[in-house]
Amino acid sequence: DVKVTQSSRYLVKRTGEKVFLECVQDMDHENMFWYRQDPGLGLRLIYFSYDVKMKEKGDIPEGYSVSREKKERFSLILESASTNQTSMYLCASTFGRNTEAFFGQGTRLTVV
Amino acid sequence: AQTVTQSQPEMSVQEAETVTLSCTYDTSESDYYLFWYKQPPSRQMILVIRQEAYKQQNATENRFSVNFQKAAKSFSLKISDSQLGDAAMYFCAYRPRTYGQNFVFGPGTRLSVLP
């Protein structure tokens, strides 16, 4: 089974802190994604990567950056956390263009 | 812009009954995939069913089936013989086959199953 693992299920950070959310997948998937999930808005794409060291902005990249130094790991970085970044963050990966996404268990981030 | 709409924010169904969740989408693409994902309280997103747009036959997976109407851009999910474990958020998602295009998710429908 494909496993996508996010480093934390719950995280509480202070405003202005630099926050790292880590995601690791174990099935050699080329494509990895970071989504933000908010009630009534569904999942919104923050950043994605189709290969190592490659990254593309999604629909809501402001305030975020990403890093993909190794194929299996895709990190989401909040350079200076703000309260409006309090949300659920989901990591996903896919193999090829025509397959479903496999998701991590989500990180619920609270910025106080 | 491609959008996915789920017009029912919440629904409920009696155990063992049948329920249908609605989804419509807007796209100018002709070749794409449609998905239904389930997110239970554990938060783990699980694929329920997948439909390829070029296939006319509706996909089925055990108690789950879809009604795919390509011309109407409609993709509803029917859950038969509902079980307590079906209670979850359900997300409809669309993904074109065009390179560089990503998933688009609907806002979700919260399904409650009543004993």
Side-chain angles (χ1 to χ4, degrees):
Chain A
D1 280 351
V2 175
K3 192 155 188 189
V4 181
T5 304
Q6 294 182 228
S7 52
S8 306
R9 280 183 66 84
Y10 299 94
L11 215 50
V12 179
K13 294 292 182 180
R14 295 194 180 278
T15 301
E17 274 193 81
K18 191 169 186 176
V19 181
F20 293 86
L21 303 184
E22 306 285 347
C23 176
V24 177
Q25 50 91 6
D26 65 358
M27 283 299 292
D28 205 33
H29 285 181
E30 311 106 324
N31 312 315
M32 296 189 74
F33 306 84
W34 275 106
Y35 292 92
R36 173 175 170 158
Q37 182 182 357
D38 298 290
L41 297 177
L43 278 67
R44 293 180 292 167
L45 183 63
I46 304 172
Y47 267 95
F48 63 97
S49 169
Y50 286 160
D51 203 351
V52 177
K53 297 197 185 293
M54 177 266 182
K55 58 187 178 184
E56 293 284 346
K57 292 179 180 179
D59 300 317
I60 52 166
E62 296 77 20
Y64 303 94
S65 63
V66 290
S67 172
R68 193 163 181 204
E69 296 296 319
K70 293 185 177 181
K71 191 174 185 179
E72 67 270 18
R73 185 180 296 271
F74 193 36
S75 303
L76 179 69
I77 304 156
L78 286 65
E79 296 290 344
S80 177
S82 64
T83 55
N84 62 14
Q85 292 178 309
T86 291
S87 187
M88 172 79 77
Y89 291 87
L90 290 169
C91 175
S93 71
T94 68
F95 179 72
R97 291 290 308 145
N98 303 327
T99 64
E100 67 268 26
F102 295 86
F103 286 86
Q105 76 276 33
T107 295
R108 189 175 294 282
L109 173 68
T110 302
V111 182
V112 299
Chain B
Q2 295 149 350
T3 58
V4 175
T5 302
Q6 294 177 249
S7 59
Q8 307 147 317
E10 295 184 354
M11 290 198 71
S12 62
V13 62
Q14 210 72 33
E15 200 175 1
E17 297 294 310
T18 295
V19 65
T20 298
L21 308 184
S22 301
C23 172
T24 58
Y25 56 95
D26 186 24
T27 183
S28 57
E29 302 276 345
S30 60
D31 196 7
Y32 49 86
Y33 293 89
L34 295 163
F35 305 88
W36 277 100
Y37 279 91
K38 169 185 176 181
Q39 187 183 43
S42 68
R43 307 198 316 237
Q44 182 66 57
M45 292 276 277
I46 303 162
L47 178 68
V48 175
I49 200 163
R50 180 175 97 160
Q51 175 79 42
E52 292 154 40
Y54 65 86
K55 289 187 178 179
Q56 291 188 336
Q57 187 173 3
N58 289 324
T60 62
E61 285 288 342
N62 301 316
R63 298 182 295 108
F64 298 87
S65 61
V66 297
N67 183 2
F68 173 46
Q69 302 289 330
K70 191 173 184 179
K73 296 179 184 173
S74 170
F75 183 60
S76 60
L77 175 70
K78 185 171 84 170
I79 306 174
S80 304
D81 185 25
S82 297
Q83 301 175 359
L84 295 177
D86 294 333
M89 281 290 287
Y90 286 82
F91 292 97
C92 179
Y94 155 92
R95 186 184 193 188
R97 293 184 70 158
T98 306
Y99 180 80
Q101 299 294 319
N102 291 303
F103 290 88
V104 179
F105 287 85
T109 296
R110 182 174 299 282
L111 178 68
S112 301
V113 180
L114 309 173

